[in-house]
Amino acid sequence: MIALHLDDLKQYSDVLRGKNGSEIKVRFVEPRDREELQNYIRSLSAGSRYNRFLGALSELPKMELERFIHVGEADRFTVVATMLVDGFETIVGEARYAFHADTSSVEFGLSIDDRWQGHGIGKALLKNLECRAASFGAERIFGDTLRSNATMIGLARKSGYAFTASPGDWKLVRFAKDIHVEPQDIPCASWRLAATSRSATMSSLAV
């Protein structure tokens, strides 16, 4: 696994592009985002919140919000996708992912603001998560969603994920994808650098 320098989160930011060429910034969440992230969750439609959190809620419970805000605890990370809207940086999507060293896999969940769905943000964010998973040295990335969540299932299918039943819950379906990317081929610059650094460290230890 890579050693992240969490005192400088900005170096792990990426700039992506939506369908119309709009600029989307993906960065780790910061403590200053606490209120805006909560407002983002509140602004999602009831259906989108239900799909994202696999149950009914109107906002993140206080303890869960704190878990989202603190990057790196228990190998769990939260990123936000932001765009400039009327001159202000605005959260238009979020994702939370966890690295499971025992299975060399990354598990994730994501959401996109209802008003911005269909603009290619989900596809770009999912591709970015694959970059991040590859940089950890993960061999597989996966997520679980409700069988009724046609939007997420469609996105995963178009992105080359395979589907199986989710262990232990018949209401869920699991989508997974194997990662076959060498560090130097990771298509996100900041994470290619991190992975290359990890690879060089491992090589020096093997000598």
Side-chain angles (χ1 to χ4, degrees):
M1 178 179 166
I2 60 174
L4 299 180
H5 301 287
L6 299 180
D7 56 334
D8 183 13
L9 295 178
K10 291 182 175 60
Q11 65 181 308
Y12 302 111
S13 299
D14 289 301
V15 176
L16 316 178
R17 296 288 174 182
K19 276 184 180 178
N20 62 355
S22 55
E23 185 174 287
I24 307 158
K25 184 177 181 180
V26 178
R27 60 173 177 80
F28 280 133
V29 72
E30 299 179 33
R32 65 181 174 89
D33 298 311
R34 182 182 282 100
E35 184 175 351
E36 186 178 356
L37 179 62
Q38 185 69 287
N39 287 336
Y40 165 82
I41 298 298
R42 290 169 179 152
S43 74
L44 293 174
S45 67
S48 290
R49 283 197 304 272
Y50 193 92
N51 284 335
R52 172 65 177 89
F53 299 104
L54 310 180
L57 54 76
S58 57
E59 63 179 24
L60 287 174
K62 185 177 180 180
M63 288 185 64
E64 188 66 12
L65 178 60
E66 291 306 310
R67 292 190 189 101
F68 267 61
I69 291 297
H70 291 92
V71 170
E73 290 186 356
D75 290 336
R76 284 168 165 75
F77 307 85
T78 303
V79 293
V80 290
T82 69
M83 295 176 62
L84 281 179
V85 180
D86 296 329
F88 294 95
E89 184 187 23
T90 303
I91 296 176
V92 296
E94 59 77 33
R96 185 156 169 80
Y97 60 98
F99 177 67
H100 302 301
D102 56 335
T103 57
S104 190
S105 63
V106 163
E107 179 180 5
F108 74 94
L110 64 82
S111 69
I112 304 298
D113 188 314
D114 292 77
R115 295 165 294 181
W116 291 96
Q117 291 179 16
H119 291 258
I121 298 172
K123 182 179 180 180
L125 181 55
L126 182 53
K127 194 69 177 175
N128 188 254
L129 291 174
E130 293 172 12
C131 288
R132 292 166 185 262
S135 71
F136 277 102
E139 298 174 359
R140 183 170 173 264
I141 183 170
F142 72 94
D144 292 323
T145 194
L146 294 165
R147 292 181 179 275
S148 58
N149 188 354
T151 300
M152 187 67 236
I153 290 172
L155 173 61
R157 182 173 286 116
K158 289 177 183 177
S159 300
Y161 284 71
F163 293 84
T164 59
S166 181
D169 194 335
W170 65 270
K171 298 189 298 296
L172 303 180
V173 62
R174 174 161 293 182
F175 46 94
K177 187 176 186 179
D178 291 335
I179 297 174
H180 303 291
V181 182
E182 294 299 322
Q184 66 272 15
D185 297 325
I186 293 175
C188 300
S190 62
W191 292 93
R192 182 167 60 247
L193 180 63
T196 303
S197 175
R198 174 182 60 82
S199 181
T201 300
M202 292 176 65
S203 296
S204 66
L205 292 174
V207 174

